[in-house]
Amino acid sequence: MTALKIVISIIFVLVCIALSVIILMQEGKSNGLGAVAGMADTYWGKNKGRSMEGALEKFTKFAAVAFMLLAIVLNVLN
Protein backbone atom coordinates (compact mmCIF):
# COMPACT_ATOMS: atom_id res chain seq x y z
CA MET A 1 0.00 0.00 0.00
CA THR A 2 2.89 2.36 0.70
CA ALA A 3 4.41 1.84 -2.75
CA LEU A 4 1.07 2.63 -4.39
CA LYS A 5 0.76 5.80 -2.33
CA ILE A 6 4.27 6.91 -3.32
CA VAL A 7 3.59 6.28 -7.03
CA ILE A 8 0.28 8.16 -6.92
CA SER A 9 1.95 11.02 -5.02
CA ILE A 10 4.65 11.32 -7.69
CA ILE A 11 2.02 11.32 -10.44
CA PHE A 12 0.06 13.94 -8.47
CA VAL A 13 3.09 16.24 -8.25
CA LEU A 14 3.75 15.87 -11.98
CA VAL A 15 0.11 16.69 -12.79
CA CYS A 16 0.32 19.74 -10.49
CA ILE A 17 3.41 21.01 -12.26
CA ALA A 18 1.91 20.34 -15.70
CA LEU A 19 -1.33 22.11 -14.75
CA SER A 20 0.59 25.15 -13.52
CA VAL A 21 2.67 25.34 -16.70
CA ILE A 22 -0.36 24.91 -18.96
CA ILE A 23 -2.28 27.66 -17.16
CA LEU A 24 0.67 30.04 -17.35
CA MET A 25 1.08 29.39 -21.09
CA GLN A 26 -2.47 30.50 -21.87
CA GLU A 27 -3.23 33.98 -23.12
CA GLY A 28 -5.54 36.38 -21.36
CA LYS A 29 -9.21 36.42 -22.30
CA SER A 30 -9.48 40.18 -22.69
CA ASN A 31 -9.88 41.16 -26.32
CA GLY A 32 -9.58 44.87 -25.69
CA LEU A 33 -11.53 47.22 -27.96
CA GLY A 34 -11.52 44.67 -30.77
CA ALA A 35 -14.40 42.81 -29.14
CA VAL A 36 -16.50 45.99 -29.08
CA ALA A 37 -15.92 46.68 -32.77
CA GLY A 38 -16.73 43.10 -33.77
CA MET A 39 -13.19 42.10 -34.63
CA ALA A 40 -13.15 39.14 -32.23
CA ASP A 41 -14.39 36.71 -34.91
CA THR A 42 -11.20 36.29 -36.86
CA TYR A 43 -10.00 33.10 -38.51
CA TRP A 44 -8.24 32.00 -35.32
CA GLY A 45 -11.31 32.78 -33.23
CA LYS A 46 -13.52 30.55 -35.39
CA ASN A 47 -11.03 27.66 -35.52
CA LYS A 48 -10.00 27.84 -31.89
CA GLY A 49 -10.14 24.06 -31.42
CA ARG A 50 -7.36 23.59 -33.96
CA SER A 51 -5.10 26.31 -32.61
CA MET A 52 -2.51 26.13 -29.85
CA GLU A 53 -4.85 28.00 -27.50
CA GLY A 54 -7.61 25.45 -28.09
CA ALA A 55 -5.21 22.60 -27.37
CA LEU A 56 -4.07 24.29 -24.15
CA GLU A 57 -7.69 24.62 -23.03
CA LYS A 58 -8.30 20.92 -23.65
CA PHE A 59 -5.15 19.91 -21.77
CA THR A 60 -6.17 22.21 -18.91
CA LYS A 61 -9.49 20.42 -18.58
CA PHE A 62 -7.88 16.98 -18.62
CA ALA A 63 -5.19 18.01 -16.13
CA ALA A 64 -7.77 19.57 -13.80
CA VAL A 65 -9.85 16.38 -13.80
CA ALA A 66 -6.73 14.28 -13.18
CA PHE A 67 -5.74 16.64 -10.35
CA MET A 68 -9.11 16.29 -8.65
CA LEU A 69 -9.27 12.51 -9.05
CA LEU A 70 -5.74 12.01 -7.74
CA ALA A 71 -6.44 14.31 -4.79
CA ILE A 72 -9.51 12.23 -3.90
CA VAL A 73 -7.59 8.96 -4.26
CA LEU A 74 -4.73 10.23 -2.10
CA ASN A 75 -7.22 11.38 0.52
CA VAL A 76 -8.88 7.96 0.59
CA LEU A 77 -5.52 6.18 0.87
CA ASN A 78 -4.52 8.37 3.82
Side-chain angles (χ1 to χ4, degrees):
M1 191 72 150
T2 306
L4 178 65
K5 193 173 177 181
I6 291 171
V7 170
I8 292 176
S9 296
I10 291 171
I11 294 171
F12 183 69
V13 169
L14 292 175
V15 168
C16 290
I17 292 170
L19 186 61
S20 299
V21 169
I22 292 170
I23 289 173
L24 290 173
M25 286 176 59
Q26 292 182 6
E27 295 178 7
K29 296 295 180 192
S30 62
N31 291 326
L33 293 176
V36 175
M39 298 172 129
D41 288 331
T42 61
Y43 174 76
W44 297 110
K46 293 178 184 176
N47 293 320
K48 194 170 190 176
R50 297 182 192 164
S51 67
M52 182 66 167
E53 186 67 25
L56 287 175
E57 286 183 16
K58 289 178 188 176
F59 289 138
T60 303
K61 291 175 187 174
F62 290 133
V65 170
F67 173 82
M68 288 185 284
L69 290 176
L70 287 172
I72 291 170
V73 168
L74 282 172
N75 190 27
V76 170
L77 289 178
N78 223 355

